[in-house]
Amino acid sequence: MNISYNWLKNYLDIEKTPNELSLILTDIGLEVEAVEKIQSIPGGLEGLVVGEVISAEQHPNADKLRVTKVDVGTGTALDIVCGAPNCRAGLKVIVATVGTTCHPTSGEPFKITKSKIRGEVSEGMLCGEDEIGLGSSHAGIVELPADVKVGTLVKEFYQMEDDYCFEIGLTPNRADAASHLGVARDLAAYFRKSYTLPDVSSFATPAAASTATVEVKNTEACPRYSGVRISGVKVGASPDWLKEKLNAIGIRTINNIVDITNYVLHDLGQPLHAFDAAKISGDKVVVRLANEGELFTTLDGVERKLSVEDLVIADDSKPMCIAGVFGGEYSGVSEDTTEIFLESAYFNSVYVRKTAKRHGLKTDSSFRFERGTDPNITVFALQRAALLIQEIAGGVVSSAVSDNYPNPIAPFAFDVDCKNVQRLIGKEIPAEEIKEIIEALGIVITAEKEQVLSVEVPAYKVDVTREVDVTEEVLRIYGYNNIELKSQILASLNTQEKPDKEVVLNQIADLLIGNGYREILSNSLTKLSYVDDESTAVRLLNPLSSDLDTMRQNLVYSMLTAMSYNQKRKATDLKFFEYGKTYHLLDEGYSERQRMVLGIVGNKSKEQWNATSGTVSFYNLKAAVDMIVKRLKVEGLQVVETANANLAYGLDYMKGQKVLVSLGAVATEALKKADVDGQVYYADFDWDLVIRSIRKNEIKFKEVSKYPAVRRDLALLLDDSVTFEQLKNVALKSERKLLKAVNIFDVYKGDKLPEGKKSYALSFTIQDEEKTLNDKQIDSIIQKLILNFEKETGAVVR
């Protein structure tokens, strides 16, 4: 939301500079994200001064140039060469001195330097209006009135005032501050000043004027609808002051009528809409729900199919506007419009929000109606706009104000205990100061008894409905920075279960980052086509879009989406990890599960002139998974082929009957869905199971053995169905104490072996930590291994 510094001055006297005010706004809950200097003329005429031409002599070396002496009020006349035909002695002119940057009407800015023109020194420039952005004429230099004082800044002569635009990150609960009036109210409360509303006392209707015919068929969707007819308007360009106001906050000007409605919207926070009265069939405005499937063309030229839940403003035959969201193409104001019907309404925020999302429309009006506007300002805003239209477009009010408000919305009434306010804030703020802040915020105190205040909160403060909300309002204005930290901090002993999940997560994150991985953070909302099981999917009742209508059941598509995004931006060698939740709707209710996932794609390393880098493989991912398992000291895992539907092939590391981690190559179907190039390898940890598995782990010191380890190798002929994991388990069962490691270093399949057979070359690391092993002990262990391999797997030593 953009707010103009000068515009705020229309409401209250501000003595703070724009930068000082930005800090105050942030302190009171209106966070200023940026401050931009706004100038109605580029450059703001900075550096230009009024000068007087003392003399103007013919240039000795050029027929069309004059050598002038110009007084700019410094006591020393400047020598300036000028080619303008109207340059003459005694003329008051605009002078750009050396060092000044000029911003022409067209073209790039340029800086004035001291130079020689045809041999004569020139210490500045006498300016034409097109050379400094004042206009487009190039007929000669600007001639100023004779009574202007030499040395006067040109920006002061033209009464140029710089403006500043505050870009405010408005939170959804601060609908009351979505306008210059709303921001001014907060500032008035902070400064303990009063603010001044625009004067509408001159608004009047003809004595014999009839009321515009309006019928509201759904008062739940439209609790209040006000309107007035204005005749004799002349649609055209807006005056400069109005254009400058709107341009300062980034609003494009259209015509005087539309600009006025936009001005009042950003001024008072009340959206308005102007209809061409001549196009209202039956001379009657009807506020109703649309018919299912009713077609309507909006201002952007798009034909939309309406829902029975959409509120529309219609005449006696057709819709003219989607209420609170977007106007219609047919009924809008055009250059031929001479009579308008001006609408100012209060619409139910739920209806507007659902309609805006249904049709994918976001407008300044829907932004405010969705959050909640002031139901009691509709007529005031109508009168304000009508007076501006009369002033700018020459119209006259030709009807009485029609105001349909059958059930007035009452203020929020409840009690506020000052002691509770002090307790929640954590500081003994005097009760009188609390009352002063509450009243400064526009909240009425109707009664008081023993520091308990009965209050009535204006309806425009839609988020202030309880005592705690008033407490927050008081704290905003009092100032968070004014709450001191106590010298004594009371704390309780930490009884958190071990291990600390955050500590473990950070350890693994550091480990992965050190190995070239980058952490990503993805949205938990995804599309339905990405879930594993639709029957257990958690669906949103009111989704932002069809692509964000379901809570994710896996993190594989979050990973793939991030990879696709990077690949489209020429980043192809990727190593990502993410920690997040998945969501399921089970028979026993909603379930949230913590996961940690890894994904790799592309080359193993960056290109180098002296080395080649192949693409990543399953084993690069497996190395990272084994590294994590080893770092966490998770033991007793069994390895089986994966059953994960998102993987084309891979492994599951089982902890008992549960899968601790699945890893493998992502299935082609998933890659196509996410539009990812190349083979992605992916691992998915059940992080809740990880934490449970390491809960009883203890760190123990173990001295490095003084006795050497011995390696022995065996080549085994095996059936194709036998896996390395089976062999490893047989070996470790055969010798539990001395066998430290089993590894595979060669696999052979070929025509030299019988059909259905393969050859594995295994290495065995044997070590006794108490003594040196002799050959007899080593041979005994190897023979035991061979015997058990033959017995349990049918292996034959080659």
Side-chain angles (χ1 to χ4, degrees):
M1 181 184 72
N2 292 334
I3 293 294
S4 160
Y5 176 71
N6 290 343
W7 200 331
L8 287 174
K9 291 181 178 179
N10 295 342
Y11 283 100
L12 71 164
D13 181 29
I14 298 176
E15 298 173 356
K16 301 292 184 180
T17 66
N19 285 334
E20 290 172 337
L21 193 65
S22 72
L23 296 175
I24 291 171
L25 288 170
T26 298
D27 283 345
I28 61 177
L30 300 174
E31 183 179 1
V32 176
E33 297 174 344
V35 180
E36 181 184 0
K37 188 176 182 179
I38 305 294
Q39 296 173 319
S40 57
I41 295 176
L45 305 179
E46 294 285 353
L48 302 176
V49 297
V50 174
E52 181 177 4
V53 180
I54 300 171
S55 65
E57 304 295 336
Q58 182 65 46
H59 194 294
N61 303 317
D63 294 338
K64 296 184 178 181
L65 297 179
R66 289 178 175 82
V67 179
T68 67
K69 284 196 175 291
V70 182
D71 178 13
V72 292
T74 60
T76 302
L78 302 178
D79 293 318
I80 298 177
V81 177
C82 179
N86 61 331
C87 180
R88 60 190 183 274
L91 193 65
K92 293 289 179 68
V93 293
I94 297 175
V95 183
T97 56
V98 172
T100 299
T101 299
C102 295
H103 296 259
T105 302
S106 60
E108 296 297 319
F110 58 91
K111 190 172 184 179
I112 302 298
T113 59
K114 184 176 180 179
S115 61
K116 280 190 175 184
I117 302 176
R118 297 288 184 92
E120 295 295 324
V121 173
S122 184
E123 300 174 296
M125 183 178 76
L126 306 186
C127 303
E129 64 177 38
D130 65 323
E131 294 168 323
I132 55 175
L134 278 176
S136 57
S137 174
H138 193 64
I141 57 177
V142 177
E143 298 186 20
L144 299 177
D147 59 351
V148 182
K149 184 180 179 182
V150 170
T152 301
L153 294 178
V154 173
K155 67 180 297 182
E156 293 179 0
F157 171 75
Y158 282 103
Q159 296 181 336
M160 297 288 299
E161 184 179 12
D162 292 336
D163 198 359
Y164 294 83
C165 179
F166 302 110
E167 184 181 333
I168 294 177
L170 192 68
T171 53
N173 65 316
R174 292 304 315 277
D176 61 301
S179 64
H180 286 80
L181 170 60
V183 174
R185 281 192 297 238
D186 269 11
L187 288 174
Y190 177 83
F191 291 122
R192 308 295 197 276
K193 291 182 177 180
S194 60
Y195 60 91
T196 304
L197 286 170
D199 183 16
V200 296
S201 60
S202 60
F203 178 85
T205 56
S210 60
T211 304
T213 304
V214 175
E215 181 183 3
V216 180
K217 290 188 174 182
N218 190 322
T219 56
E220 178 192 3
C222 179
R224 187 174 191 179
Y225 191 92
S226 309
V228 70
R229 190 182 293 267
I230 304 173
S231 304
V233 300
K234 184 177 180 180
V235 179
S238 297
D240 289 342
W241 73 263
L242 181 54
K243 289 180 181 179
E244 289 175 8
K245 287 283 188 185
L246 294 177
N247 288 335
I249 57 172
I251 302 299
R252 180 175 63 91
T253 60
I254 299 173
N255 60 51
N256 49 10
I257 303 299
V258 176
D259 290 351
I260 288 169
T261 60
N262 282 333
Y263 175 81
V264 173
L265 164 67
H266 291 277
D267 187 36
L268 303 177
Q270 174 60 42
L272 304 175
H273 191 75
F275 299 93
D276 188 330
K279 297 176 181 177
I280 301 176
S281 176
D283 200 28
K284 181 180 181 181
V285 175
V286 181
V287 184
R288 62 172 174 85
L289 293 177
N291 300 316
E292 187 63 44
E294 190 170 12
L295 297 178
F296 176 65
T297 303
T298 46
L299 276 171
D300 55 0
V302 177
E303 186 177 67
R304 304 178 189 275
K305 186 178 289 187
L306 302 179
S307 163
V308 71
E309 295 181 356
D310 294 333
L311 186 71
V312 297
I313 312 301
D315 55 22
D316 65 357
S317 62
K318 63 188 178 302
M320 300 188 295
C321 172
I322 301 177
V325 180
F326 215 20
E329 184 178 51
Y330 174 76
S331 62
V333 172
S334 68
E335 292 180 357
D336 300 325
T337 300
T338 58
E339 186 176 16
I340 64 170
F341 176 78
L342 191 61
E343 163 197 287
S344 179
Y346 173 74
F347 297 118
N348 186 304
S349 60
V350 175
Y351 278 82
V352 175
R353 182 165 57 249
K354 288 185 175 180
T355 294
K357 289 180 180 178
R358 188 178 298 115
H359 296 287
L361 294 170
K362 286 292 181 184
T363 62
D364 285 337
S365 293
S366 68
F367 175 85
R368 285 156 179 82
F369 280 127
E370 286 178 33
R371 288 157 176 77
T373 56
D374 184 359
N376 299 315
I377 204 174
T378 59
V379 173
F380 181 85
L382 204 63
Q383 293 171 340
R384 171 71 168 145
L387 289 172
L388 288 171
I389 290 171
Q390 287 179 292
E391 175 189 338
I392 294 169
V396 294
V397 175
S398 56
S399 77
V401 173
S402 172
D403 187 22
N404 290 266
Y405 196 18
N407 301 304
I409 297 173
F412 307 109
F414 49 89
D415 290 342
V416 175
D417 190 332
C418 291
K419 292 180 181 178
N420 287 339
V421 173
Q422 294 166 341
R423 178 178 58 82
L424 287 172
I425 290 177
K427 183 176 181 178
E428 294 291 326
I429 302 173
E432 285 304 313
E433 188 169 0
I434 293 174
K435 286 171 55 181
E436 180 183 318
I437 293 174
I438 288 174
E439 290 177 327
L441 285 164
I443 300 172
V444 178
I445 299 175
T446 58
E448 179 182 357
K449 183 178 181 181
E450 297 178 355
Q451 294 192 0
V452 176
L453 312 176
S454 296
V455 301
E456 289 185 353
V457 180
Y460 62 76
K461 286 187 174 291
V462 295
D463 197 51
V464 183
T465 59
R466 304 167 299 167
E467 182 182 70
V468 289
D469 299 328
V470 172
T471 302
E472 183 182 355
E473 292 288 283
V474 170
L475 181 55
R476 277 197 311 110
I477 303 303
Y478 182 78
Y480 292 95
N481 293 333
N482 293 325
I483 307 300
E484 303 87 356
L485 289 174
K486 293 183 178 179
S487 57
Q488 180 184 16
I489 298 177
L490 302 178
S492 57
L493 292 175
N494 186 357
T495 59
Q496 183 177 349
E497 287 188 6
K498 299 293 183 181
D500 188 317
K501 294 180 181 180
E502 294 299 321
V503 171
V504 174
L505 178 63
N506 288 335
Q507 288 174 345
I508 300 304
D510 290 343
L511 180 67
L512 289 169
I513 291 168
N515 281 272
Y517 283 78
R518 292 176 181 270
E519 185 172 8
I520 63 173
L521 182 63
S522 305
N523 197 337
S524 295
L525 299 176
T526 187
K527 60 178 71 173
L528 184 61
S529 60
Y530 284 175
V531 303
D532 298 327
D533 182 2
E534 288 191 20
S535 65
T536 61
V538 180
R539 303 292 305 279
L540 270 65
L541 296 176
N542 190 20
L544 292 171
S545 71
S546 59
D547 287 342
L548 298 170
D549 63 354
T550 308
M551 302 295 284
R552 65 185 176 193
Q553 289 188 338
N554 59 63
L555 272 68
V556 65
Y557 287 103
S558 300
M559 179 71 67
L560 294 178
T561 300
M563 287 180 166
S564 175
Y565 180 89
N566 278 269
Q567 287 180 343
K568 287 178 171 60
R569 287 153 182 81
K570 307 303 181 184
T572 55
D573 304 332
L574 307 171
K575 298 170 75 175
F576 289 157
F577 74 96
E578 180 175 11
Y579 177 76
K581 290 183 178 180
T582 59
Y583 306 85
H584 304 264
L585 178 56
L586 307 177
D587 292 337
E588 58 270 23
Y590 292 103
S591 171
E592 296 183 13
R593 302 169 185 171
Q594 294 283 2
R595 318 292 297 185
M596 191 188 75
V597 297
L598 283 67
I600 57 175
V601 67
N603 292 327
K604 298 177 191 175
S605 59
K606 292 182 179 180
E607 292 179 330
Q608 294 183 10
W609 66 271
N610 60 350
T612 58
S613 175
T615 58
V616 295
S617 69
F618 168 79
Y619 295 100
N620 297 115
L621 179 72
K622 184 176 183 298
V625 170
D626 290 343
M627 174 180 67
I628 293 171
V629 170
K630 184 176 181 180
R631 176 65 181 81
L632 293 170
K633 296 183 175 61
V634 181
E635 299 174 344
L637 298 179
Q638 296 81 42
V639 181
V640 298
E641 288 190 21
T642 187
N644 192 314
N646 291 315
L647 300 179
Y649 63 86
L651 300 174
D652 287 344
Y653 286 12
M654 307 292 295
K655 182 70 173 176
Q657 298 299 312
K658 295 183 178 180
V659 179
L660 183 85
V661 56
S662 296
L663 62 150
V666 176
T668 304
E669 181 184 357
L671 297 176
K672 288 181 178 178
K673 275 187 184 180
D675 192 21
V676 175
D677 295 329
Q679 182 60 66
V680 175
Y681 298 95
Y682 172 82
D684 183 358
F685 283 85
D686 181 342
W687 201 252
D688 292 325
L689 180 57
V690 167
I691 296 300
R692 291 197 299 272
S693 300
I694 64 174
R695 186 164 291 159
K696 294 183 179 179
N697 283 3
E698 295 181 358
I699 299 175
K700 295 180 179 179
F701 170 76
K702 184 178 181 181
E703 188 177 353
V704 177
S705 176
K706 297 182 291 184
Y707 303 102
V710 177
R711 169 175 164 160
R712 290 289 187 269
D713 299 338
L714 285 178
L716 302 176
L717 185 65
L718 305 160
D719 292 335
D720 274 341
S721 60
V722 177
T723 64
F724 168 68
E725 188 67 20
Q726 288 176 273
L727 297 173
K728 182 178 179 181
N729 289 337
V730 170
L732 292 175
K733 279 196 302 181
S734 301
E735 179 54 61
R736 299 179 185 276
K737 181 181 178 182
L738 302 181
L739 185 59
K740 302 302 182 183
V742 182
N743 292 297
I744 182 170
F745 62 90
D746 187 49
V747 177
Y748 175 72
K749 288 185 179 182
D751 53 9
K752 295 181 180 180
L753 297 179
E755 186 176 351
K757 296 290 185 178
K758 61 184 176 183
S759 175
Y760 277 4
L762 306 182
S763 67
F764 304 91
T765 302
I766 305 168
Q767 183 182 35
D768 190 332
E769 297 178 3
E770 298 175 356
K771 62 182 180 181
T772 301
L773 292 170
N774 56 43
D775 289 341
K776 185 176 180 180
Q777 291 173 306
I778 296 169
D779 291 341
S780 174
I781 293 170
I782 295 300
Q783 288 302 317
K784 189 193 302 183
L785 292 175
I786 293 172
L787 181 64
N788 287 332
F789 285 149
E790 292 175 347
K791 181 179 178 182
E792 297 195 28
T793 67
V796 177
V797 177
R798 296 185 66 193

